[in-house]
Amino acid sequence: MSTHSSAVRPVTVTDLVAMKHREQRFVMLTAYDALTAEMLDEAGVPVILVGDSLGMVVLGHDSTIPVTIDDVLHHTRAVRRGTRRALVVADMPFMSYQASASEGLRAAGRLLQEGGAHAVKVEGGAAVVDLVARATTAGIPVMGHLGLTPQSVNQFGGFRVQGRDDDAAARIVADARALAEAGAFAVVLECIPAEVARRVTQEVPIPTIGIGAGPSTDAQVLVIDDVLGRTAGRLPRFVKAYADTRSTVHDAVKAFQAEVEGGDYPGPEHTYE
Ligand code: KIV
């Protein structure tokens, strides 16, 4: 891993708000380990999310529900070790904040104090406004998350687009306003109609970060393993793979196997005399 120079100016939450006002789009990507975080940081990604998607992507669960605060802490520490410039946002996992704002505040504090995160992300609208206000007052920057909030997948009856009817759309706009007023510095909009995301983006002073929310948001987020083409099976419509590393891995592993089986690896150049 490269040595970290102190000359780099880290991205801050106020930089992101300023980018919205300059109409400068940006990306957020997930990372769960130090090496990936290092590569994203080197590529100039301004925001890295240690998403609770780690439950599905890294741990093999079929939802984010089983993810614990210790899981997120573990991966956040790793990501911070690989990052020198990007703002690292740690996801608040299921049941780390739903029982009370006080519990949520303590969990958020742990993610900064023990995990090294710069900010936390929390799912929900009106229900988390108190937590957002208390956390920001305590110096913990909070990113909101509206629309298809995966921790509520059982309530939604599956991973479905949200905000399709007028009432649901109005609720998302009102929730986004309430989060911004409570002090959130940005809000993720997941799987909602593009028009609803456009309205939210126009009406709130903080950056909107879309995933399956169309082209009008201030920023876009994807799961890094989707971007790299590592994931397989039925993927959501919004996923775009920019590489096919799953095939690259298959090819490399098969080539290694063939060379070992054929006696070609290790060669003299890999062997100590
Ligand atoms: O957990 C996650 O990766 C997320 C993003 C997809 C927004 O919440």
Side-chain angles (χ1 to χ4, degrees):
M1 217 163 268
S2 58
T3 41
H4 288 184
S5 114
S6 54
V8 174
R9 192 180 81 72
V11 176
T12 66
V13 296
T14 51
D15 291 333
L16 303 181
V17 177
M19 282 162 90
K20 175 179 178 116
H21 294 132
R22 287 199 302 271
E23 296 185 10
Q24 182 182 344
R25 290 177 170 214
F26 63 91
V27 303
M28 175 164 87
L29 280 166
T30 66
Y32 316 105
D33 63 86
L35 191 55
T36 307
E38 187 183 62
M39 290 188 279
L40 300 189
D41 201 88
E42 283 167 359
V45 170
V47 194
I48 297 179
L49 172 67
V50 187
D52 60 357
S53 51
L54 72 88
M56 297 158 96
V57 178
V58 179
L59 303 178
H61 297 301
D62 59 9
S63 79
T64 59
I65 304 291
V67 176
T68 65
I69 188 85
D70 288 332
D71 292 332
V72 179
L73 276 170
H74 179 75
H75 290 274
T76 302
R77 286 188 201 106
V79 164
R80 267 310 305 277
R81 285 182 210 116
T83 310
R84 58 178 179 156
R85 175 178 171 269
L87 183 90
V88 175
V89 181
D91 231 346
M92 304 269 299
F94 183 58
M95 287 320 291
S96 66
Y97 60 94
Q98 283 89 345
S100 72
S102 301
E103 258 186 43
L105 186 58
R106 289 203 185 285
R110 287 189 68 194
L111 292 172
L112 266 68
Q113 197 166 39
E114 299 173 40
H118 302 114
V120 301
K121 177 168 80 58
V122 66
E123 293 184 7
V128 299
V129 160
D130 186 26
L131 169 59
V132 173
R134 288 177 64 177
T136 50
T137 303
I140 302 171
V142 183
M143 177 181 284
H145 187 158
L146 296 170
L148 172 52
T149 44
Q151 291 171 20
S152 302
V153 62
N154 293 309
Q155 186 74 21
F156 295 146
F159 293 96
R160 296 165 196 279
V161 176
Q162 302 295 308
R164 279 203 191 275
D165 62 61
D166 289 351
D167 283 355
R171 219 165 24 248
I172 290 172
V173 177
D175 279 344
R177 274 210 214 101
L179 288 171
E181 276 162 21
F185 71 90
V187 60
V188 170
L189 302 175
E190 180 162 354
C191 274
I192 61 172
E195 174 53 23
V196 182
R198 194 194 59 76
R199 266 175 63 197
V200 174
T201 302
Q202 222 168 36
E203 293 195 22
V204 296
I206 56 173
T208 56
I209 307 177
I211 176 163
S216 302
T217 52
D218 300 301
Q220 297 285 333
V221 54
L222 284 174
V223 166
I224 185 63
D225 300 83
D226 289 337
V227 170
L228 298 180
R230 277 165 55 93
T231 42
R234 212 169 139 253
L235 298 172
R237 179 190 171 105
F238 58 77
V239 166
K240 179 169 178 184
Y242 288 82
D244 183 8
T245 51
R246 197 176 177 93
S247 300
T248 308
V249 168
H250 284 163
D251 292 347
V253 169
K254 280 189 199 148
F256 174 55
Q257 247 172 214
E259 287 201 1
V260 170
E261 287 165 9
D264 297 317
Y265 177 86
E269 70 276 31
H270 307 115
T271 302
Y272 301 105
E273 296 302 331

